[in-house]
Amino acid sequence: MAGGPPIYYVAPLPTPGFIIAGFVLGIVSITFCAGLTAPFGLYYSIRGMRAAAPGAEPPVGGYGLAIAGLVTSILGMVALLFMLAYFVLIAVLALSAPSGY
């Protein structure tokens, strides 16, 4: 018979799907879509941070995942803003160029 105190297992808190969705949309926004999914990832990550806050009821896990989703979504938003600024600059230069006809 082995000695020592018994070891108890505590199950991890469940992680809501919208926290995972915010993280996945943030990753997708910086890798594949040039920021097109970033606003949705930002929304779900902020919603997830509120749901997984330390004093939230009922307690859920995934607060760190929500923060990671927020950071990746913000990076995706920066990429989206640069892409939009580029297209606006190209459109302005194309419309202001003198016509050769």
Side-chain angles (χ1 to χ4, degrees):
M1 185 159 173
I7 298 174
Y8 296 103
Y9 175 73
V10 177
L13 294 173
T15 302
F18 53 86
I19 292 178
I20 297 169
F23 179 68
V24 169
L25 288 171
I27 292 290
V28 168
S29 73
I30 61 174
T31 55
F32 299 119
C33 298
L36 295 177
T37 61
F40 303 106
L42 198 61
Y43 168 75
Y44 285 120
S45 296
I46 291 171
R47 184 175 165 202
M49 286 181 67
R50 288 183 183 155
E57 287 295 327
V60 295
Y63 189 72
L65 200 60
I67 291 174
L70 182 71
V71 170
T72 55
S73 295
I74 289 172
L75 290 174
M77 287 291 283
V78 169
L80 178 64
L81 292 176
F82 277 128
M83 184 180 71
L84 289 175
Y86 174 75
F87 285 138
V88 167
L89 178 68
I90 294 298
V92 167
L93 290 177
L95 293 175
S96 66
S99 176
Y101 296 107

PDB file of all heavy atoms in Angstrom, residues 53-76:
ATOM      1  N   ALA A  53     -14.002  36.562 -17.650  1.00  0.00           N
ATOM      2  CA  ALA A  53     -13.349  37.413 -16.655  1.00  0.00           C
ATOM      3  C   ALA A  53     -13.329  36.696 -15.301  1.00  0.00           C
ATOM      4  O   ALA A  53     -14.186  35.849 -15.029  1.00  0.00           O
ATOM      5  CB  ALA A  53     -14.081  38.746 -16.551  1.00  0.00           C
ATOM      6  N   PRO A  54     -12.366  37.018 -14.453  1.00  0.00           N
ATOM      7  CA  PRO A  54     -12.249  36.300 -13.173  1.00  0.00           C
ATOM      8  C   PRO A  54     -13.507  36.313 -12.303  1.00  0.00           C
ATOM      9  O   PRO A  54     -13.775  35.359 -11.601  1.00  0.00           O
ATOM     10  CB  PRO A  54     -11.097  37.027 -12.475  1.00  0.00           C
ATOM     11  CG  PRO A  54     -10.279  37.581 -13.582  1.00  0.00           C
ATOM     12  CD  PRO A  54     -11.256  37.926 -14.666  1.00  0.00           C
ATOM     13  N   GLY A  55     -14.313  37.339 -12.340  1.00  0.00           N
ATOM     14  CA  GLY A  55     -15.507  37.386 -11.498  1.00  0.00           C
ATOM     15  C   GLY A  55     -16.784  37.007 -12.214  1.00  0.00           C
ATOM     16  O   GLY A  55     -17.871  37.168 -11.668  1.00  0.00           O
ATOM     17  N   ALA A  56     -16.694  36.491 -13.426  1.00  0.00           N
ATOM     18  CA  ALA A  56     -17.885  36.210 -14.226  1.00  0.00           C
ATOM     19  C   ALA A  56     -18.628  34.985 -13.691  1.00  0.00           C
ATOM     20  O   ALA A  56     -18.033  34.056 -13.148  1.00  0.00           O
ATOM     21  CB  ALA A  56     -17.498  35.977 -15.677  1.00  0.00           C
ATOM     22  N   GLU A  57     -19.927  35.014 -13.826  1.00  0.00           N
ATOM     23  CA  GLU A  57     -20.767  33.886 -13.451  1.00  0.00           C
ATOM     24  C   GLU A  57     -21.507  33.403 -14.675  1.00  0.00           C
ATOM     25  O   GLU A  57     -22.094  34.221 -15.384  1.00  0.00           O
ATOM     26  CB  GLU A  57     -21.771  34.300 -12.368  1.00  0.00           C
ATOM     27  CG  GLU A  57     -21.154  34.494 -11.006  1.00  0.00           C
ATOM     28  CD  GLU A  57     -20.583  33.215 -10.405  1.00  0.00           C
ATOM     29  OE1 GLU A  57     -21.147  32.130 -10.657  1.00  0.00           O
ATOM     30  OE2 GLU A  57     -19.577  33.296  -9.713  1.00  0.00           O
ATOM     31  N   PRO A  58     -21.568  32.172 -15.001  1.00  0.00           N
ATOM     32  CA  PRO A  58     -20.850  31.060 -14.401  1.00  0.00           C
ATOM     33  C   PRO A  58     -19.386  31.081 -14.818  1.00  0.00           C
ATOM     34  O   PRO A  58     -19.050  31.631 -15.872  1.00  0.00           O
ATOM     35  CB  PRO A  58     -21.557  29.835 -14.981  1.00  0.00           C
ATOM     36  CG  PRO A  58     -22.050  30.296 -16.311  1.00  0.00           C
ATOM     37  CD  PRO A  58     -22.401  31.757 -16.121  1.00  0.00           C
ATOM     38  N   PRO A  59     -18.513  30.519 -14.010  1.00  0.00           N
ATOM     39  CA  PRO A  59     -17.086  30.555 -14.376  1.00  0.00           C
ATOM     40  C   PRO A  59     -16.804  29.683 -15.599  1.00  0.00           C
ATOM     41  O   PRO A  59     -17.270  28.559 -15.693  1.00  0.00           O
ATOM     42  CB  PRO A  59     -16.388  30.012 -13.131  1.00  0.00           C
ATOM     43  CG  PRO A  59     -17.431  29.235 -12.406  1.00  0.00           C
ATOM     44  CD  PRO A  59     -18.755  29.851 -12.743  1.00  0.00           C
ATOM     45  N   VAL A  60     -16.085  30.250 -16.530  1.00  0.00           N
ATOM     46  CA  VAL A  60     -15.664  29.518 -17.733  1.00  0.00           C
ATOM     47  C   VAL A  60     -14.176  29.748 -17.937  1.00  0.00           C
ATOM     48  O   VAL A  60     -13.601  30.716 -17.443  1.00  0.00           O
ATOM     49  CB  VAL A  60     -16.448  29.945 -18.994  1.00  0.00           C
ATOM     50  CG1 VAL A  60     -17.905  29.579 -18.879  1.00  0.00           C
ATOM     51  CG2 VAL A  60     -16.300  31.409 -19.277  1.00  0.00           C
ATOM     52  N   GLY A  61     -13.560  28.876 -18.673  1.00  0.00           N
ATOM     53  CA  GLY A  61     -12.141  29.006 -18.980  1.00  0.00           C
ATOM     54  C   GLY A  61     -11.928  29.704 -20.299  1.00  0.00           C
ATOM     55  O   GLY A  61     -12.875  30.092 -20.986  1.00  0.00           O
ATOM     56  N   GLY A  62     -10.682  29.875 -20.669  1.00  0.00           N
ATOM     57  CA  GLY A  62     -10.353  30.427 -21.968  1.00  0.00           C
ATOM     58  C   GLY A  62     -10.023  31.900 -21.976  1.00  0.00           C
ATOM     59  O   GLY A  62      -9.998  32.517 -23.025  1.00  0.00           O
ATOM     60  N   TYR A  63      -9.743  32.483 -20.806  1.00  0.00           N
ATOM     61  CA  TYR A  63      -9.427  33.907 -20.767  1.00  0.00           C
ATOM     62  C   TYR A  63      -8.144  34.205 -21.544  1.00  0.00           C
ATOM     63  O   TYR A  63      -8.083  35.174 -22.300  1.00  0.00           O
ATOM     64  CB  TYR A  63      -9.298  34.378 -19.319  1.00  0.00           C
ATOM     65  CG  TYR A  63      -9.175  35.869 -19.166  1.00  0.00           C
ATOM     66  CD1 TYR A  63     -10.272  36.683 -19.384  1.00  0.00           C
ATOM     67  CD2 TYR A  63      -7.971  36.465 -18.810  1.00  0.00           C
ATOM     68  CE1 TYR A  63     -10.184  38.051 -19.247  1.00  0.00           C
ATOM     69  CE2 TYR A  63      -7.866  37.834 -18.672  1.00  0.00           C
ATOM     70  CZ  TYR A  63      -8.976  38.626 -18.885  1.00  0.00           C
ATOM     71  OH  TYR A  63      -8.881  39.984 -18.762  1.00  0.00           O
ATOM     72  N   GLY A  64      -7.142  33.368 -21.408  1.00  0.00           N
ATOM     73  CA  GLY A  64      -5.896  33.553 -22.150  1.00  0.00           C
ATOM     74  C   GLY A  64      -6.097  33.397 -23.654  1.00  0.00           C
ATOM     75  O   GLY A  64      -5.488  34.106 -24.450  1.00  0.00           O
ATOM     76  N   LEU A  65      -6.961  32.479 -24.035  1.00  0.00           N
ATOM     77  CA  LEU A  65      -7.273  32.290 -25.447  1.00  0.00           C
ATOM     78  C   LEU A  65      -7.999  33.507 -26.008  1.00  0.00           C
ATOM     79  O   LEU A  65      -7.766  33.914 -27.150  1.00  0.00           O
ATOM     80  CB  LEU A  65      -8.126  31.035 -25.605  1.00  0.00           C
ATOM     81  CG  LEU A  65      -8.206  30.378 -26.959  1.00  0.00           C
ATOM     82  CD1 LEU A  65      -6.824  29.950 -27.439  1.00  0.00           C
ATOM     83  CD2 LEU A  65      -9.117  29.174 -26.902  1.00  0.00           C
ATOM     84  N   ALA A  66      -8.851  34.120 -25.178  1.00  0.00           N
ATOM     85  CA  ALA A  66      -9.551  35.336 -25.602  1.00  0.00           C
ATOM     86  C   ALA A  66      -8.567  36.489 -25.777  1.00  0.00           C
ATOM     87  O   ALA A  66      -8.694  37.283 -26.715  1.00  0.00           O
ATOM     88  CB  ALA A  66     -10.633  35.701 -24.598  1.00  0.00           C
ATOM     89  N   ILE A  67      -7.580  36.589 -24.901  1.00  0.00           N
ATOM     90  CA  ILE A  67      -6.559  37.634 -25.043  1.00  0.00           C
ATOM     91  C   ILE A  67      -5.738  37.408 -26.312  1.00  0.00           C
ATOM     92  O   ILE A  67      -5.456  38.343 -27.059  1.00  0.00           O
ATOM     93  CB  ILE A  67      -5.656  37.686 -23.797  1.00  0.00           C
ATOM     94  CG1 ILE A  67      -6.454  38.199 -22.604  1.00  0.00           C
ATOM     95  CG2 ILE A  67      -4.432  38.563 -24.036  1.00  0.00           C
ATOM     96  CD1 ILE A  67      -5.700  38.159 -21.292  1.00  0.00           C
ATOM     97  N   ALA A  68      -5.378  36.158 -26.564  1.00  0.00           N
ATOM     98  CA  ALA A  68      -4.627  35.848 -27.787  1.00  0.00           C
ATOM     99  C   ALA A  68      -5.458  36.170 -29.027  1.00  0.00           C
ATOM    100  O   ALA A  68      -4.935  36.688 -30.013  1.00  0.00           O
ATOM    101  CB  ALA A  68      -4.216  34.380 -27.787  1.00  0.00           C
ATOM    102  N   GLY A  69      -6.754  35.882 -28.984  1.00  0.00           N
ATOM    103  CA  GLY A  69      -7.638  36.232 -30.098  1.00  0.00           C
ATOM    104  C   GLY A  69      -7.736  37.731 -30.293  1.00  0.00           C
ATOM    105  O   GLY A  69      -7.783  38.223 -31.418  1.00  0.00           O
ATOM    106  N   LEU A  70      -7.759  38.470 -29.182  1.00  0.00           N
ATOM    107  CA  LEU A  70      -7.809  39.927 -29.263  1.00  0.00           C
ATOM    108  C   LEU A  70      -6.543  40.482 -29.916  1.00  0.00           C
ATOM    109  O   LEU A  70      -6.614  41.338 -30.806  1.00  0.00           O
ATOM    110  CB  LEU A  70      -7.998  40.516 -27.865  1.00  0.00           C
ATOM    111  CG  LEU A  70      -8.128  42.022 -27.768  1.00  0.00           C
ATOM    112  CD1 LEU A  70      -9.470  42.464 -28.327  1.00  0.00           C
ATOM    113  CD2 LEU A  70      -7.997  42.463 -26.334  1.00  0.00           C
ATOM    114  N   VAL A  71      -5.398  39.980 -29.499  1.00  0.00           N
ATOM    115  CA  VAL A  71      -4.121  40.462 -30.049  1.00  0.00           C
ATOM    116  C   VAL A  71      -4.015  40.136 -31.537  1.00  0.00           C
ATOM    117  O   VAL A  71      -3.660  40.999 -32.348  1.00  0.00           O
ATOM    118  CB  VAL A  71      -2.930  39.867 -29.259  1.00  0.00           C
ATOM    119  CG1 VAL A  71      -1.612  40.143 -29.955  1.00  0.00           C
ATOM    120  CG2 VAL A  71      -2.915  40.411 -27.842  1.00  0.00           C
ATOM    121  N   THR A  72      -4.341  38.908 -31.918  1.00  0.00           N
ATOM    122  CA  THR A  72      -4.237  38.547 -33.332  1.00  0.00           C
ATOM    123  C   THR A  72      -5.271  39.303 -34.173  1.00  0.00           C
ATOM    124  O   THR A  72      -4.996  39.657 -35.315  1.00  0.00           O
ATOM    125  CB  THR A  72      -4.399  37.034 -33.526  1.00  0.00           C
ATOM    126  OG1 THR A  72      -5.628  36.600 -32.936  1.00  0.00           O
ATOM    127  CG2 THR A  72      -3.234  36.282 -32.910  1.00  0.00           C
ATOM    128  N   SER A  73      -6.440  39.579 -33.605  1.00  0.00           N
ATOM    129  CA  SER A  73      -7.438  40.352 -34.343  1.00  0.00           C
ATOM    130  C   SER A  73      -7.002  41.797 -34.518  1.00  0.00           C
ATOM    131  O   SER A  73      -7.250  42.402 -35.567  1.00  0.00           O
ATOM    132  CB  SER A  73      -8.782  40.298 -33.619  1.00  0.00           C
ATOM    133  OG  SER A  73      -9.288  38.991 -33.619  1.00  0.00           O
ATOM    134  N   ILE A  74      -6.344  42.361 -33.513  1.00  0.00           N
ATOM    135  CA  ILE A  74      -5.832  43.726 -33.648  1.00  0.00           C
ATOM    136  C   ILE A  74      -4.751  43.777 -34.722  1.00  0.00           C
ATOM    137  O   ILE A  74      -4.718  44.700 -35.548  1.00  0.00           O
ATOM    138  CB  ILE A  74      -5.320  44.251 -32.297  1.00  0.00           C
ATOM    139  CG1 ILE A  74      -6.508  44.512 -31.362  1.00  0.00           C
ATOM    140  CG2 ILE A  74      -4.487  45.512 -32.467  1.00  0.00           C
ATOM    141  CD1 ILE A  74      -6.120  44.850 -29.938  1.00  0.00           C
ATOM    142  N   LEU A  75      -3.883  42.777 -34.754  1.00  0.00           N
ATOM    143  CA  LEU A  75      -2.872  42.723 -35.820  1.00  0.00           C
ATOM    144  C   LEU A  75      -3.529  42.577 -37.189  1.00  0.00           C
ATOM    145  O   LEU A  75      -3.085  43.188 -38.172  1.00  0.00           O
ATOM    146  CB  LEU A  75      -1.907  41.565 -35.571  1.00  0.00           C
ATOM    147  CG  LEU A  75      -0.967  41.729 -34.385  1.00  0.00           C
ATOM    148  CD1 LEU A  75      -0.165  40.448 -34.169  1.00  0.00           C
ATOM    149  CD2 LEU A  75      -0.051  42.913 -34.578  1.00  0.00           C
ATOM    150  N   GLY A  76      -4.595  41.795 -37.260  1.00  0.00           N
ATOM    151  CA  GLY A  76      -5.332  41.664 -38.512  1.00  0.00           C
ATOM    152  C   GLY A  76      -6.001  42.963 -38.920  1.00  0.00           C
ATOM    153  O   GLY A  76      -6.079  43.289 -40.099  1.00  0.00           O
TER     154      GLY A  76
END
